[in-house]
């Protein structure tokens, strides 16, 4: 503890980066711009001035210092409220605002602006400048971010974040003196997967959310909920803002163990499918070659009638849906009739991952813990596209060595990558190995053999790869903290087995070594679904084709994403009754006999398990049926209504807690789901927590065009939140239970900083309940000798993934529909002359008796004999992985 004096009062300070950090944590409102708890400070804005006294008994000798650049030391004597310091801060913000436009009423950041908050705190309210303002021409930065350079106050946060922290290469600072410009050399979309964080990093309105303008509302006029991103398996925490029944914006929700202050662009901008006009909002029955509308009761009666007449029924779950929804379907159809949504290759991977998470011999670190690892080995996973937020943490782990001048091996950081093709982490990698999934598995097993001093005797097509194996194994053995990363994206279980072997060998060799393993499944709830059932989608289709299935119920799933069209068409033609529960129209729902509209993740409350096995609760932002004629219902509620009327059961699921209680009774290993968040009966001062700010306005007029009679607000039986501005808004709540970020005097997202520093509560360090580990060894070491001697005259299909596009729900958004997406096949450039192909032109080929057309792209990183396709996109099913391409031809 360090003792300092602020305005003649003694304070005890612990672990503060600088004086500004210390003062903010004590509750002082010192204005600042350039400082950020993650980026640090550079003293550029000069806004955080305080007065420092040299001698404790003589205040005549003093000086103005920048608190963000002043270290905390014992006996430091300062004044925050000194008139000279206050006058200096006021004059500085007046100068910063010299060229700032008077456009707060039309600026998208109005009411959510750090500059506005700091202007009020500094006391500046009159502008004396009466000359022409400096003006800039703004740039086009893509479909996500608006650029208004005239609002810039030159704090340098944007370039420090984008270039230094996120590793972006296409954004910089240009100019001199008071003509400083932050942007690109020329107009064009920002290339970084984390560009959207500029919106929250910037303290002004230079960078604003372009997607949000489609359904724009001021911060105080939105209804909020704490939620979890459903775009990948990381489970970043987000805040959803809603108005008029539409999602207005998604912001980062601080979590000290997962996403911290940043999320990826897919999590921030990929929600537009929820607002789509193509949503399923009422039940439909296929009748006489068309769908007819039904009300909820009639559709339920129809479904119950169908099930009563069925002798053979199956259910297919969804890894993009909550564990409660999947459990309801599991209960309805029974254990032997419930299948997950993974093809067999992927199912083998996720089953092994689930076993690792339950095995006490393995440790899976959080994203923030990953930033402290010394050496990282990524086997067969392009996490920049499949688990983007983790790549940002890995970049921080490696970047921490940049300022290290000495070449002491103990302090150096290493990143090794194996992949099908180049990745966006290659710039910081010590070594990259691009090859087929089979050879990548060989590479991993060879490293394991080298660690154990075993002659690996495996032949590689690359001599360089063979020579690197021993050096990589030595670095892994000599490093203090080693992280092994792998995943299911290449649909090859051997790669994951190799990762497990390396982890176990290192653990055996060096008992004092801190090890971590992170295995990345495809979807937000892949782990939770696999715990309910490890019966793959292949088995479900075989049963559909070979058995007389009367009824198949499919939950939030498009089978055409996994299998080729003729396969799925044939399987579904064998089903007498196909029932689909989904919130968006898919190719599968178009084949259904009856469709039920279910709520999306923003409209319901539920739980998912991320890649760590961490149980996380997400909460509904609004009731989709409020003042509408929609019949949208939570999937678990609908399925339970059906089961209760079929079985005449006395068990009632009145709220989410009832579902969870039944879940943990049948699956004790999922006990953590119960403690992911407080129960729905949670109270604070006799009230639920308000979802809306206290200044929320116009509630009675929002839906007056539908009905002039105001309906009472819906009641939320599933959570501790209220659909209202009336309720508790206690600042002592953990950040896990804050619907929107606000702090007295600070309305912008920078209130997270103030909240986290001032409360100093351990609650802000969220530890959601984890999947229970046991001492039982689920996982043993593996032996594998793959067949890598494939014929180079044939092209073998391997998958690659895109941040926007590979996610199933991306194609439901108007953003993607507005931009024509071109499917690209990537092959080695040596095929240019051999097959008479030209880059950029279209090619066609036959695979499994189906014709495909792609735009062609050459790459020197991809191995000869491989063709990388964006598997999982519409018309490009995952089942193509590993198959051969025949008759490739150029389309003239």
């Amino acid at each position: 503890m360090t003792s300092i004096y602020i305005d003649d009062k003694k304070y005890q300070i612990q672990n503060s980066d600088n004086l500004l950090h210390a003062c903010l944590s004590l509750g002082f409102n010192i204005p600042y711009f350039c400082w950020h708890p993650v980026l640090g400070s550079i003293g550029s804005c000069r806004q955080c001035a305080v007065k420092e006294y040299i001698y404790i008994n003589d205040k005549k000798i003093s000086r103005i210092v920048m608190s963000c650049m002043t270290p905390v030391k014992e006996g430091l004597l300062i004044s925050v409220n000194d008139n000279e310091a206050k006058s200096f801060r006021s004059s500085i913000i007046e100068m910063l605002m010299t060229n700032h436009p008077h456009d707060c009423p039309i600026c998208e950041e109005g009411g959510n602006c750090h500059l506005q908050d700091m202007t009020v705190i500094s006391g500046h309210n009159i502008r004396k400048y009466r000359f022409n303002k400096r003006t800039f021409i703004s740039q086009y930065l893509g479909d996500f971010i608006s650029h208004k350079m005239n609002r810039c106050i030159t704090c340098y946060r944007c370039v420090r974040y984008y270039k230094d922290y996120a590793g972006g290469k296409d954004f910089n600072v240009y100019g001199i003196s008071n003509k400083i410009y932050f942007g690109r050399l020329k107009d064009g979309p920002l290339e970084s997967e984390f560009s959207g964080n500029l919106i929250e990093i910037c303290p002004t309105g230079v960078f604003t959310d372009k997607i949000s303008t489609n359904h724009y509302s001021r911060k105080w006029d939105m209804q909020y909920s704490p939620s979890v991103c459903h775009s990948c398996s990381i489970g970043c925490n987000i805040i959803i803002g809603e108005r008029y029944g539409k999602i207005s914006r998604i912001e980062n929700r601080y979590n000290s163990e997962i996403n911290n202050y940043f999320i990826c662009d897919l999590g921030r901008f990929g929600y537009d499918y929820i607002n789509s006009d193509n949503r399923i909002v009422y039940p439909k029955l296929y009748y006489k070659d068309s769908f007819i509308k039904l009300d909820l009761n009639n559709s339920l009666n129809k479904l119950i009638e169908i099930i009563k007449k069925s002798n053979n029924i199956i259910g297919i779950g969804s890894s993009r849906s909550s564990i409660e929804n999947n459990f309801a379907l599991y209960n309805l159809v029974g254990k032997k009739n419930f299948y997950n949504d993974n093809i067999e290759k992927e199912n083998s991977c996720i089953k092994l991952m689930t076993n690792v998470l339950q095995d006490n011999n393995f440790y899976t670190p959080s994203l923030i813990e990953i930033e402290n690892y010394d050496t990282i080995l990524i086997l067969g996973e392009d996490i920049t596209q499949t688990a983007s937020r983790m790549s940002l943490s890995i970049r921080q782990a490696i970047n921490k060595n940049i300022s290290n001048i000495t070449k002491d091996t103990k302090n150096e950081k290493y990143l090794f990558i194996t992949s099908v093709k180049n990745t966006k982490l290659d710039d910081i990698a010590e070594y990259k190995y691009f090859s087929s999934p089979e050879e990548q598995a060989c590479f991993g097993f060879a490293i394991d053999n080298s660690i154990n001093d075993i002659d690996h005797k495996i032949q590689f097509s690359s001599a360089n790869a063979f020579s690197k194996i021993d050096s990589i194994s030595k670095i892994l053995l000599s490093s203090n903290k080693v992280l092994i990363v792998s995943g299911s994206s290449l649909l090859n279980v051997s790669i994951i087995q190799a990762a497990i072997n390396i982890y176990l060998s290192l653990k055996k060799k060096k008992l004092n070594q801190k090890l971590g393993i992170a295995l990345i499944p495809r979807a937000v709830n892949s782990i939770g679904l696999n715990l309910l059932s490890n019966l793959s989608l292949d088995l479900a289709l075989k049963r559909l084709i070979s058995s007389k299935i009367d009824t198949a119920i499919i939950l939030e799933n498009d089978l055409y994403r996994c299998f080729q069209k003729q396969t799925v068409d044939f399987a579904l033609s064998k089903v007498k009754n196909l029932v689909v529960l989904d919130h968006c129209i898919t190719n599968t729902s178009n084949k259904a006999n009856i469709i039920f509209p279910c709520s999306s993740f923003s409209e319901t409350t539920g739980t998912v398990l991320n890649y760590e096995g961490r149980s996380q609760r997400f909460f509904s932002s609004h009731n989709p049926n409020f003042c509408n004629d929609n019949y949208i219902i939570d999937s678990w509620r609908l399925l339970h209504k059906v089961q209760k009327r079929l079985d005449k059961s006395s068990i009632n699921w009145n709220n989410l807690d009832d579902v969870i209680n039944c879940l943990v009774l049948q699956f004790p290993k999922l006990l953590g789901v119960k403690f992911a968040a407080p129960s729905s009966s949670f109270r604070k001062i006799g009230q639920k927590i308000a979802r809306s700010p206290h200044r929320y306005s116009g509630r009675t007029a929002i839906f007056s065009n539908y009905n002039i009679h105001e309906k009472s607000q819906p009641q939320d039986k599933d959570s501790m939140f209220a659909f209202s501005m009336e309720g508790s808004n206690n600042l002592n709540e953990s950040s896990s239970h804050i619907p929107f970020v606000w702090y007295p005097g600070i309305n912008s997202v920078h209130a997270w900083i103030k909240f986290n520093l001032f409360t100093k509560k351990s609650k802000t360090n969220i530890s959601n309940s984890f999947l229970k580990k046991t001492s039982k060894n689920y996982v043993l070491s593996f032996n594998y000798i793959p067949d890598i001697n494939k014929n180079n005259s044939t092209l073998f299909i391997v998958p690659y993934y895109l941040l926007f596009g590979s996610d199933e729900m991306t194609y439901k958004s108007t953003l993607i529909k507005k931009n024509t997406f071109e499917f690209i096949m990537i092959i080695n450039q040596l095929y240019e002359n051999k097959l008479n192909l030209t880059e950029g032109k279209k090619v066609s080929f036959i695979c499994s008796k189906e014709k495909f057309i792609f735009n062609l792209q050459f790459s020197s990183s991809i191995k000869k004999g491989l063709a990388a396709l964006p598997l999982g996109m519409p018309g490009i099913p995952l089942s193509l992985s590993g198959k051969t391409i025949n008759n490739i031809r150029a389309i003239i």
Side-chain angles (χ1 to χ4, degrees), residues 794-797 845-848 880 882-886:
T794 306
L795 286 173
F796 290 87
I797 295 175
F845 60 83
I846 305 295
C847 181
S848 298
L880 291 179
K883 293 187 177 180
T884 59
I885 289 177
N886 299 315

Side-chain angles (χ1 to χ4, degrees), residues 373-409:
Y373 278 84
D374 301 322
T375 300
I376 300 171
L377 171 62
I378 302 176
L379 283 176
E381 192 76 15
D382 184 2
I383 59 171
T384 62
Q385 308 302 309
T386 61
S388 190
R389 184 57 183 83
M390 183 180 287
S391 71
L392 189 61
S393 293
I394 288 177
R395 184 172 290 278
Q396 305 324 304
I398 304 304
N399 282 348
K400 286 181 181 179
N401 192 47
I402 290 177
S403 59
N404 185 22
I405 300 175
T406 64
K407 284 295 180 181
D408 186 355
T409 305

